[in-house]
Amino acid sequence: MGNKQSNPSTIYKSLKLLYTTAVRCQNIHGDQQALTYYIQALNQIQSMHLTTPNIEQLHYDIVRNLCDIYIRQLDITQANKFIGDYDGALFDHEKSIEMKLKIYGHEVLDISDSYFNIGNVYKDQGKYDDAIYMYEKSLNISLTALGDNHPIIATTYSEIGNIYSNQGNYDSAIYMYEKSLKIQWSTLSGNHPSIAMTYQNMAIVYHNQSRYDDAICMYEKSLKIFLLTLGNNDPSTATTYLNIANVYSDQGQYDDAICMYNKSLKIVSLTLGNNHPSTAITYQYIADVYLDQDKYDDAICMYEKSLQIDLPTLGNNHPRIATTYNRIATVYEHQSKYNYAVSMYEKSLKIQFSTLCYNHPSIATTYSNIGTVYGYQGNYDKAVYMLEKSFKIQSSTLGNNHLSIATTCNNLAVVYDYQGKFDKSIFMYEKSLKIQLSTLGNNHPSIVSTYNNMVSVYSHQGKYDDVRCMFEKSIKIQLSTLGNNHPSFSTTYHNMATVDLHYGKYNDAIRMFKKSLKIELSTLSNSHCSIAATYINMGLVYDYQGKYDEAICMCKKSLKITLPILGYNHPVIGITYNNMGLIYYDQDKYDEAICMYEKSLKISLSVLGSHHPQIASIYNNIGSVYENQGKYDDAICMYEKSLKIQLLTLGNKHRSLTNTYNNMAIVYSNQGKYNDAICMHEKSLEINISIFGYNHPNIAITYCNMGLVYINQGKYDIAVYMCKKSLKINLSILGNNHPHIASTYSIIGKAYHFQGKYDEAIRMYEKSLKIYFSTLGNNHHKIANIYNGMGLIYEEQGEYDNAVCILEKSLKIQLSTFGNNHPHTAAMYQNIGLLYHRQGRYEDAICMYKKSLKISLSTLGNNHSSIATTYQNLGLTYHEQGKYEDAVCMYKKSLKMYLSTLGNNHFSIAITYNNLANIYDCQGKYDNAIFLYKKMFKIQLSTVGKNHPSIAATYNNMGMVYFHLGQYDIADYMNKESLKINFSALRINHPFIASVYHNKGIILEYQGKYDEALCMYEKSIKLRLSTLGSNHPRIATTYNSKGNIYYSQGKYDKAISFFKKTAAILVKAPLQNRQYLDQIYRNIAVCYDKLNRYYPMDMRWISSDIRSRMR
């Protein structure tokens, strides 16, 4: 006779007993002891041939709890055995409800349990609204059956609170937890572990809200209960210490965090042993703190301790080993050791492939991490490839609406932003946003991050209205969910300050940073690194404003916070010294700048090694100082050191290389090595094209940089061609209203200006102005720069009223932006002074220079190169007034400053020698003049080489001195050398060459070689007409010279013709040129007398008018 089969009801009670025993063990003793009972119950269910709805429900609860345990233990292989089909689970639960309704006829507590379990499934799927709906259905049945003061009601409130917490609806979450807590207080003892768990849940919400003090308070309440009921060596106590440590870590109280982690570690080691996985996990948390502190070696040490525990106990092929490799890779990322990071991620990936299915979400995460590293390396195509692999896996396993997919979309958007594919970037952010809105609602803090990321793209596109819109949306969410004092507000204010900085709204930027600082000071400890970072950012703004003392003060405040926390040898300290170096650099305090850079370099070398990109950046900064000092060879040496590191660590196609090549191009351009400069820009161009393709804003910028070199070479048509190539790219990507477009128009305007195409230049500047007005407002310093350019053109055209008007507009902007005591304002007074100088209004010019001098002395000290420049300009004005001794005094003051600030081999020193030599030439002190020209020549040879146009100019000037000495052969030799250099360095119709032809004509004229002189003058006129137009004062000078020769030859009709041409130009020329008009008219009158012809009345009248004005 067969065995009698047990009654299903009896079997269910037996299984229920095992299940409740497992749950109780789990709550009191932890996961490991509970596993035995769960697995025993599961084996019994799987051996059964028949089942009931209640047993099916119990089966699901057991499987779900087992899965949770294995996931907590990071045993993904075991967890995967229990992860079933969510839709299948829902089907089973709904079938169970249907059967129960048939049995009971109405909704009873068993049906409430089924609704509750369906809510759990929806929660696991991230379908939070559906989960809340099911929990509320369960709650309504339970309230009817049990009343409003039962522990089951409290549990349901807690689960609803958890959903609200996941959605970022923190106030609603706290409200639910408080309802749960109220029931627990009335039904359970005051020290029950369930109450402690509710305190823990509330603490998590407060932590997410950055209400750190409230979070600590809740954790301490929870800790008090655990210590009382479970003792001070229970795993729950250890977990609470761990959670408190996490709060301290986020507050930047790293020492307190380490202390709490060590307390947790002590309990775990005591109860579970030194080689238990939980001990390894605690080491990982400690490593995370070291990573936040940028203590990379300590972080690696802790991760390796974790590995030493996990490898013997879990084997070398366990998912948790893969997770540790991932974290070590993160450290290498922070160190910019990208190849090491990729290697670690690949080790992780190898483990995941062997333990997980090929399309597991964890593999997708690793692909995403590798893609991020490729993005940092500038390998954008590889980055996109990896991120798309991640996206494909996530879509197939998680559905199209999972938050992990939103994260991957965000990462793809960042890469597209770097690539300049702005429309694609926005498309990806919008996909991410759509997922976040559907899963988290339209008011979740995570959505703020996406809005902030979109700000970056809209800023790059110059769509500042969209930027403001994103900020407003972001602030609206933060106010409604976090209040106006949350640290995330600090981030938003930081971002707004950055945009204001871009606009040139420096006061608004400072205001935003102060708002950020106020929040940080109230929510974080006074010694938090985030506060130090805000001080650094404020220092940056003050630097832009020329408030250098305030800028240095901010850096010192930052150091005061970071030095006690991080020590003297930390990368952050190095970065702060680097920033101080930049401020001293802007002040032209080059020795102090070098000192700071060297401090930064010393720290960075000891912490990061000699091949870190940050080292390359410091070498670049030192190179910039040497460049400004005119130490061009030293500058190139530094840039080459930087380049060597970048090539070694980042490869030969990284975007960082383009900055170094551009810096080298600037030096070569300053040296007159224009072909080398173009070569550097072409290298930069090649890299940008390989990264971004042919249609990216970076390509456009490189074309503009090349255009500036061609302007320096006098190759104006090629310069304009390059700028138009740049325009074509930017117009297709950024539209016709972006600041980059305005900048390009201004460079084209500069080229037209040098060509003497004044109307076209003005038209370009006006196009530039129109864009700047609409994008930056009418008070930005870039607009002031455009006004300066226009003012110079009006001045050269003799439209002095327009010139003064436009320069005053520029001055007004500088005053409103930087105040009346800023170096930029001083520079503006210099420009106005130069205008007055060229008008012959010498006293007004001197007044402006003295205003400039007063500001510069108060802001830059009494030994700055800008002050030396002002003395130079004063010297030039005194020279024009014939006050030679005063001029020499000014030049010597200037020379003394240049020598002390720039050394004795700087180009500015050479210019000063040139100006002094010009005076000695005017005074007839020819030997002194030659001596200074030779000193100038020596500097030029050492700084810019023997083939630079400035060398040609020196030969030209020395030739004129030898001409005055009557040494015509030497003068002729000098003239030929000048021509030879100009022909090799400049295009054949450059104005410099025209000047050399003119001077050659003068020499030949004095030698009586009139036909040869006329030939030279004709060559000069032809060149000047092609570059300067027909109305330029320099052409008038050459016409006058031709008139003089024809007069000497007795060809009076021809002489009159050229004198009239001269007069026609000079009438429209600046005032200091018009002083020669009177002599021109006298020359015409003499010619008429020689021809015995009548001198026209209108000529005599004009001559009289000129004389009256000259008085």
Side-chain angles (χ1 to χ4, degrees):
M1 196 173 167
N3 292 334
K4 184 179 177 183
Q5 193 167 2
S6 299
N7 187 310
S9 175
T10 305
I11 294 171
Y12 173 72
K13 287 179 181 177
S14 171
L15 291 168
K16 185 75 173 176
L17 179 62
L18 280 173
Y19 174 74
T20 52
T21 304
V23 171
R24 188 164 56 254
C25 279
Q26 194 173 353
N27 287 334
I28 297 172
H29 302 294
D31 291 339
Q32 203 60 40
Q33 291 188 30
L35 273 175
T36 306
Y37 295 104
Y38 281 133
I39 291 169
Q40 189 179 341
L42 184 66
N43 289 337
Q44 287 188 29
I45 291 171
Q46 289 174 340
S47 67
M48 292 173 59
H49 299 293
L50 296 173
T51 187
T52 66
N54 283 339
I55 292 174
E56 284 178 2
Q57 178 62 55
L58 196 60
H59 184 196
Y60 171 77
D61 291 340
I62 292 166
V63 166
R64 186 172 175 276
N65 287 354
L66 274 170
C67 184
D68 286 345
I69 289 171
Y70 286 127
I71 288 172
R72 275 196 296 275
Q73 292 182 342
L74 293 179
D75 194 342
I76 305 299
T77 306
Q78 288 294 331
N80 280 336
K81 294 177 182 177
F82 299 103
I83 294 175
D85 179 9
Y86 286 128
D87 292 334
L90 287 172
F91 176 79
D92 289 343
H93 286 312
E94 287 165 357
K95 185 179 173 185
S96 171
I97 289 171
E98 187 180 333
M99 291 173 66
K100 287 176 182 178
L101 283 170
K102 283 181 181 177
I103 294 169
Y104 299 116
H106 62 278
E107 292 184 332
V108 294
L109 276 176
D110 275 354
I111 295 174
S112 170
D113 290 344
S114 295
Y115 283 137
F116 188 87
N117 289 324
I118 291 172
N120 287 338
V121 175
Y122 282 136
K123 183 179 75 173
D124 291 341
Q125 286 182 295
K127 296 179 178 178
Y128 297 130
D129 291 337
D130 293 334
I132 285 177
Y133 176 72
M134 284 297 153
Y135 286 142
E136 286 176 345
K137 286 189 84 168
S138 171
L139 186 65
N140 289 334
I141 296 169
S142 298
L143 284 168
T144 303
L146 303 172
D148 58 3
N149 205 38
H150 194 279
I152 288 176
I153 307 296
T155 301
T156 309
Y157 284 141
S158 282
E159 285 300 329
I160 294 172
N162 290 339
I163 296 290
Y164 284 137
S165 179
N166 288 341
Q167 287 183 304
N169 190 351
Y170 299 128
D171 291 340
S172 298
I174 291 294
Y175 176 72
M176 285 295 151
Y177 292 141
E178 285 175 344
K179 288 184 88 165
S180 175
L181 200 60
K182 187 177 179 182
I183 295 167
Q184 289 169 332
W185 277 337
S186 66
T187 57
L188 306 171
S189 68
N191 288 324
H192 194 278
S194 295
I195 293 173
M197 289 307 301
T198 306
Y199 284 140
Q200 292 263 1
N201 288 337
M202 293 174 78
I204 290 167
V205 174
Y206 288 138
H207 189 169
N208 287 335
Q209 288 182 297
S210 297
R211 293 168 60 180
Y212 299 124
D213 292 340
D214 292 333
I216 292 290
C217 176
M218 285 296 137
Y219 281 132
E220 285 176 346
K221 284 187 173 186
S222 173
L223 184 66
K224 187 177 179 182
I225 293 171
F226 284 142
L227 287 169
L228 193 66
T229 56
L230 305 175
N232 57 5
N233 282 328
D234 189 86
S236 296
T237 307
T239 302
T240 308
Y241 283 135
L242 206 68
N243 290 336
I244 293 171
N246 290 337
V247 178
Y248 284 139
S249 179
D250 284 347
Q251 282 184 295
Q253 297 182 19
Y254 299 122
D255 292 340
D256 293 334
I258 293 291
C259 176
M260 285 294 145
Y261 285 133
N262 285 331
K263 281 191 172 187
S264 176
L265 188 65
K266 185 178 178 182
I267 294 168
V268 171
S269 299
L270 187 67
T271 55
L272 303 174
N274 290 328
N275 288 323
H276 191 273
S278 296
T279 306
I281 289 169
T282 309
Y283 282 135
Q284 291 197 0
Y285 276 118
I286 294 170
D288 290 344
V289 174
Y290 287 138
L291 180 58
D292 287 339
Q293 290 180 292
D294 295 339
K295 294 181 177 178
Y296 303 125
D297 291 339
D298 292 335
I300 292 286
C301 177
M302 285 295 136
Y303 287 134
E304 286 175 347
K305 275 192 170 186
S306 172
L307 277 176
Q308 285 169 10
I309 295 169
D310 283 340
L311 283 168
T313 55
L314 304 175
N316 60 3
N317 213 33
H318 191 278
R320 194 156 82 201
I321 306 297
T323 301
T324 308
Y325 287 144
N326 269 330
R327 289 186 170 187
I328 292 172
T330 304
V331 179
Y332 288 137
E333 270 184 59
H334 279 74
Q335 289 181 296
S336 300
K337 296 179 178 178
Y338 299 124
N339 291 332
Y340 287 116
V342 169
S343 173
M344 279 294 147
Y345 283 133
E346 286 173 347
K347 285 181 86 169
S348 173
L349 205 57
K350 187 178 178 182
I351 295 169
Q352 290 169 329
F353 280 144
S354 67
T355 56
L356 308 172
C357 59
Y358 73 94
N359 66 337
H360 191 277
S362 295
I363 292 173
T365 301
T366 306
Y367 281 142
S368 184
N369 291 338
I370 294 171
T372 302
V373 176
Y374 284 139
Y376 290 144
Q377 286 183 298
N379 293 330
Y380 299 124
D381 291 337
K382 281 187 176 181
V384 169
Y385 174 72
M386 283 292 160
L387 290 168
E388 285 178 345
K389 283 182 88 168
S390 175
F391 184 83
K392 188 177 178 182
I393 292 171
Q394 290 168 330
S395 298
S396 66
T397 57
L398 304 173
N400 292 325
N401 212 39
H402 194 277
L403 285 173
S404 296
I405 293 174
T407 301
T408 305
C409 287
N410 259 308
N411 292 339
L412 275 164
V414 170
V415 176
Y416 288 138
D417 186 17
Y418 280 136
Q419 287 183 298
K421 298 176 179 178
F422 302 128
D423 292 338
K424 273 191 170 184
S425 181
I426 290 294
F427 175 74
M428 280 294 153
Y429 281 133
E430 286 175 346
K431 277 189 87 166
S432 174
L433 201 58
K434 187 178 179 182
I435 294 168
Q436 290 173 318
L437 289 168
S438 66
T439 55
L440 303 174
N442 58 3
N443 222 27
H444 191 277
S446 297
I447 294 167
V448 172
S449 297
T450 306
Y451 285 140
N452 282 339
N453 289 339
M454 292 172 81
V455 162
S456 169
V457 184
Y458 287 134
S459 291
H460 291 153
Q461 288 181 298
K463 296 181 177 178
Y464 299 115
D465 290 339
D466 291 325
V467 166
R468 286 291 172 194
C469 175
M470 289 298 117
F471 279 138
E472 285 167 5
K473 284 186 173 185
S474 179
I475 287 170
K476 187 177 178 183
I477 293 171
Q478 288 170 315
L479 281 171
S480 65
T481 57
L482 305 172
N484 59 4
N485 207 41
H486 190 273
S488 67
F489 253 115
S490 172
T491 303
T492 303
Y493 286 138
H494 260 84
N495 292 337
M496 292 174 77
T498 303
V499 173
D500 285 330
L501 191 59
H502 184 80
Y503 276 122
K505 298 179 177 178
Y506 301 124
N507 291 331
D508 290 341
I510 288 292
R511 187 167 55 83
M512 285 297 142
F513 280 132
K514 283 181 176 177
K515 280 190 168 189
S516 174
L517 189 64
K518 186 178 178 182
I519 292 169
E520 288 168 340
L521 288 168
S522 66
T523 57
L524 306 172
S525 68
N526 289 340
S527 59
H528 195 280
C529 287
S530 294
I531 294 169
T534 305
Y535 284 136
I536 287 289
N537 288 330
M538 290 173 75
L540 178 68
V541 182
Y542 286 134
D543 184 28
Y544 281 130
Q545 288 183 298
K547 297 179 178 178
Y548 301 122
D549 291 339
E550 286 95 327
I552 291 292
C553 175
M554 288 295 124
C555 291
K556 287 179 177 177
K557 278 191 169 188
S558 175
L559 278 176
K560 191 176 179 181
I561 292 170
T562 52
L563 280 170
I565 301 170
L566 305 175
Y568 286 85
N569 209 38
H570 192 277
V572 170
I573 307 298
I575 290 168
T576 308
Y577 286 137
N578 188 62
N579 288 342
M580 292 174 79
L582 291 170
I583 296 164
Y584 286 131
Y585 170 80
D586 288 340
Q587 288 180 288
D588 288 356
K589 294 182 176 179
Y590 298 127
D591 291 340
E592 287 93 331
I594 291 289
C595 176
M596 287 297 134
Y597 290 142
E598 286 177 347
K599 277 189 169 187
S600 177
L601 188 64
K602 186 179 178 182
I603 293 168
S604 299
L605 285 169
S606 68
V607 178
L608 304 173
S610 59
H611 291 128
H612 192 277
Q614 193 168 312
I615 308 294
S617 176
I618 297 168
Y619 284 139
N620 256 317
N621 290 338
I622 294 172
S624 295
V625 176
Y626 287 142
E627 179 198 325
N628 270 27
Q629 287 181 302
K631 298 176 180 178
Y632 297 128
D633 291 338
D634 292 334
I636 290 293
C637 176
M638 285 295 136
Y639 291 142
E640 285 175 346
K641 277 188 166 188
S642 175
L643 198 61
K644 187 177 178 182
I645 293 168
Q646 290 169 328
L647 287 167
L648 186 67
T649 57
L650 304 174
N652 61 358
K653 295 292 180 185
H654 194 273
R655 62 190 299 183
S656 297
L657 294 172
T658 62
N659 294 329
T660 308
Y661 285 135
N662 283 337
N663 288 338
M664 293 174 80
I666 291 167
V667 176
Y668 287 136
S669 185
N670 288 339
Q671 288 181 298
K673 298 177 179 178
Y674 299 123
N675 292 333
D676 291 335
I678 290 295
C679 176
M680 289 297 118
H681 285 312
E682 285 173 346
K683 283 190 172 188
S684 176
L685 188 66
E686 185 184 346
I687 293 170
N688 280 325
I689 288 171
S690 70
I691 297 171
F692 304 114
Y694 287 90
N695 208 42
H696 187 274
N698 283 11
I699 309 295
I701 289 168
T702 307
Y703 284 139
C704 273
N705 289 338
M706 293 170 81
L708 288 168
V709 177
Y710 287 127
I711 286 174
N712 289 338
Q713 281 185 290
K715 296 181 177 179
Y716 304 122
D717 291 335
I718 301 176
V720 169
Y721 171 73
M722 284 292 157
C723 289
K724 285 182 176 177
K725 284 183 83 170
S726 174
L727 265 182
K728 187 177 179 182
I729 294 169
N730 277 334
L731 286 169
S732 68
I733 299 169
L734 306 173
N736 58 5
N737 205 43
H738 191 279
H740 285 354
I741 308 291
S743 176
T744 310
Y745 283 138
S746 71
I747 295 171
I748 295 172
K750 187 177 182 181
Y752 286 147
H753 177 186
F754 285 130
Q755 285 182 297
K757 297 178 178 179
Y758 298 132
D759 292 339
E760 290 169 82
I762 290 291
R763 185 165 56 83
M764 285 296 125
Y765 284 140
E766 285 175 344
K767 286 182 93 167
S768 180
L769 274 180
K770 187 178 179 183
I771 295 169
Y772 280 144
F773 283 146
S774 66
T775 56
L776 304 177
N778 57 5
N779 211 37
H780 194 278
H781 65 85
K782 288 184 179 178
I783 292 168
N785 293 338
I786 300 295
Y787 284 146
N788 281 341
M790 294 173 76
L792 289 173
I793 292 172
Y794 288 137
E795 175 202 329
E796 288 181 20
Q797 288 180 304
E799 298 181 19
Y800 301 117
D801 291 340
N802 284 340
V804 169
C805 176
I806 212 84
L807 289 176
E808 284 176 349
K809 279 187 174 184
S810 178
L811 180 63
K812 187 177 178 183
I813 292 171
Q814 304 281 25
L815 286 169
S816 67
T817 308
F818 301 110
N820 57 5
N821 206 40
H822 189 278
H824 288 349
T825 308
M828 197 60 244
Y829 284 131
Q830 290 258 23
N831 290 338
I832 295 172
L834 286 168
L835 171 61
Y836 289 148
H837 173 95
R838 291 186 184 111
Q839 286 180 282
R841 295 168 58 182
Y842 299 126
E843 292 305 324
D844 291 334
I846 288 168
C847 176
M848 286 296 122
Y849 293 144
K850 286 182 176 177
K851 276 192 170 188
S852 174
L853 195 61
K854 186 179 178 182
I855 294 168
S856 297
L857 286 167
S858 69
T859 56
L860 304 173
N862 58 4
N863 204 37
H864 192 276
S865 60
S866 295
I867 295 167
T869 302
T870 309
Y871 285 136
Q872 286 272 358
N873 290 335
L874 279 163
L876 287 168
T877 304
Y878 287 138
H879 185 168
E880 289 294 332
Q881 288 181 303
K883 298 178 179 178
Y884 296 134
E885 294 307 321
D886 290 337
V888 168
C889 176
M890 287 297 120
Y891 289 142
K892 285 183 176 178
K893 276 191 169 187
S894 175
L895 187 63
K896 186 179 178 182
M897 281 189 189
Y898 280 143
L899 287 168
S900 68
T901 56
L902 305 175
N904 59 4
N905 209 41
H906 193 274
F907 207 77
S908 296
I909 310 291
I911 292 169
T912 312
Y913 287 144
N914 179 72
N915 292 337
L916 277 164
N918 288 341
I919 288 183
Y920 290 139
D921 186 20
C922 291
Q923 289 179 306
K925 298 177 181 179
Y926 301 126
D927 291 338
N928 289 347
I930 291 294
F931 174 74
L932 288 176
Y933 281 135
K934 284 180 178 178
K935 287 188 83 169
M936 175 188 180
F937 191 74
K938 187 178 177 182
I939 293 171
Q940 289 171 316
L941 282 174
S942 68
T943 55
V944 296
K946 63 182 180 180
N947 211 34
H948 190 273
S950 65
I951 300 285
T954 305
Y955 277 132
N956 197 36
N957 292 340
M958 288 172 74
M960 293 311 295
V961 178
Y962 285 121
F963 165 72
H964 294 147
L965 285 167
Q967 299 179 26
Y968 299 125
D969 290 340
I970 298 176
D972 187 55
Y973 168 77
M974 292 287 166
N975 186 270
K976 284 176 180 176
E977 286 296 308
S978 179
L979 269 179
K980 183 180 174 183
I981 293 169
N982 279 328
F983 278 140
S984 67
L986 306 172
R987 64 184 302 176
I988 57 172
N989 66 335
H990 194 280
F992 288 174
I993 296 173
S995 295
V996 180
Y997 282 139
H998 181 86
N999 289 343
K1000 174 75 170 174
I1002 292 172
I1003 295 168
L1004 291 167
E1005 181 186 344
Y1006 272 81
Q1007 289 179 297
K1009 299 176 181 179
Y1010 296 132
D1011 290 339
E1012 291 176 60
L1014 285 171
C1015 178
M1016 287 296 126
Y1017 289 142
E1018 192 57 41
K1019 280 187 174 185
S1020 176
I1021 288 169
K1022 187 177 179 181
L1023 292 186
R1024 284 173 170 169
L1025 284 170
S1026 68
T1027 55
L1028 304 174
S1030 60
N1031 233 10
H1032 197 280
R1034 289 177 190 166
I1035 294 169
T1037 303
T1038 313
Y1039 283 147
N1040 184 56
S1041 295
K1042 285 190 76 172
N1044 287 332
I1045 288 181
Y1046 286 128
Y1047 175 82
S1048 298
Q1049 289 179 313
K1051 297 176 182 178
Y1052 302 120
D1053 284 330
K1054 283 190 175 183
I1056 288 169
S1057 170
F1058 279 97
F1059 288 143
K1060 284 184 176 180
K1061 281 185 176 184
T1062 304
I1065 295 171
L1066 292 183
V1067 163
K1068 302 172 186 175
L1071 196 57
Q1072 78 268 28
N1073 296 108
R1074 293 186 200 173
Q1075 63 185 308
Y1076 305 112
L1077 260 177
D1078 199 46
Q1079 184 59 50
I1080 299 299
Y1081 288 126
R1082 285 198 187 97
N1083 291 344
I1084 294 171
V1086 170
C1087 288
Y1088 277 119
D1089 287 341
K1090 292 285 185 182
L1091 291 169
N1092 296 315
R1093 282 161 55 184
Y1094 178 65
Y1095 181 21
M1097 195 62 140
D1098 60 337
M1099 290 284 190
R1100 282 177 283 162
W1101 179 83
I1102 293 173
S1103 178
S1104 173
D1105 175 61
I1106 294 296
R1107 276 200 304 274
S1108 67
R1109 282 196 288 164
M1110 288 309 298
R1111 289 193 197 102

